[in-house]
Amino acid sequence: MGFVTTLNGVMAESPELLAGYNALAELFGKSSLPRAAKHIVWITASVENDCEYCVAAHSTLALRSRVPADVVQALRDGKSLTDPALEAVRRFTQVMVTRQGWVPDDELEAFLAAGYTRRHIMDIILGVGMKTLSNYTNHIAHTPLDPAWEDQRWSRS
């Protein structure tokens, strides 16, 4: 990104946490999910975990990756997406986070019926795990928002 984020600076207090987060980020980047779906996971998990820092950061990164602005705004607002494939990822991630991994069978079946696989489910778990580390760190540390994310500042209304 061209700079060390304040999140990475905070995480550096535990080199293991920082290394673990960066390893998960690298692995999630290589996962089987389409590029836009990865952004859906990051933003949805961060919204559900009420992480102001991560919603701003991932909104910025999603827009830079050409995720449509209306999709990013819907995610920030916790609203459904019009694209059925992306909505399936949003919904599954939301249920995964809010139900702490206890996803009901009908939600699993709906996700699979949308054309996704069990591997995609495991990859979403990886993304949620990654965001849990950063979301919880930001909650504890009250991580200051980087200037690069300022245009996408977010808080739950």
Side-chain angles (χ1 to χ4, degrees):
M1 284 186 273
F3 67 97
V4 176
T5 66
T6 54
L7 171 61
N8 278 268
V10 167
M11 284 183 164
E13 189 166 340
S14 168
E16 294 78 13
L17 174 61
L18 179 59
Y21 179 76
N22 287 335
L24 290 178
E26 181 179 342
L27 292 169
F28 188 63
K30 295 176 183 177
S31 74
S32 66
L33 290 168
R35 178 188 50 79
K38 291 172 186 163
H39 290 287
I40 303 299
V41 171
W42 286 323
I43 296 171
T44 302
S46 297
V47 165
E48 292 306 318
N49 283 324
D50 200 20
C51 183
E52 295 177 2
Y53 181 97
C54 286
V55 173
H58 285 291
S59 295
T60 302
L61 295 172
L63 291 168
R64 287 182 187 169
S65 292
R66 301 190 182 178
V67 174
D70 63 319
V71 170
V72 173
Q73 190 60 53
L75 293 169
R76 292 164 58 90
D77 294 340
K79 294 184 178 174
S80 298
L81 304 177
T82 57
D83 180 304
L86 294 180
E87 173 57 18
V89 173
R90 187 203 67 81
R91 174 70 186 163
F92 188 83
T93 303
Q94 179 186 45
V95 172
M96 174 72 65
V97 173
T98 59
R99 303 221 16 170
Q100 300 171 319
W102 296 102
V103 178
D105 289 342
D106 63 327
E107 295 284 353
L108 286 167
E109 291 167 15
F111 183 72
L112 295 170
Y116 292 100
T117 67
R118 294 189 91 56
R119 178 176 177 181
H120 291 123
I121 292 170
M122 298 302 137
D123 289 342
I124 289 174
I125 292 170
L126 174 63
V128 168
M130 175 195 163
K131 284 294 87 193
T132 301
L133 292 177
S134 61
N135 295 168
Y136 288 13
T137 298
N138 291 322
H139 291 194
I140 296 293
H142 305 284
T143 309
L145 192 62
D146 294 288
W149 318 141
E150 189 61 45
D151 287 348
Q152 293 301 314
R153 182 176 284 277
W154 177 89
S155 65
R156 191 174 302 276
S157 298

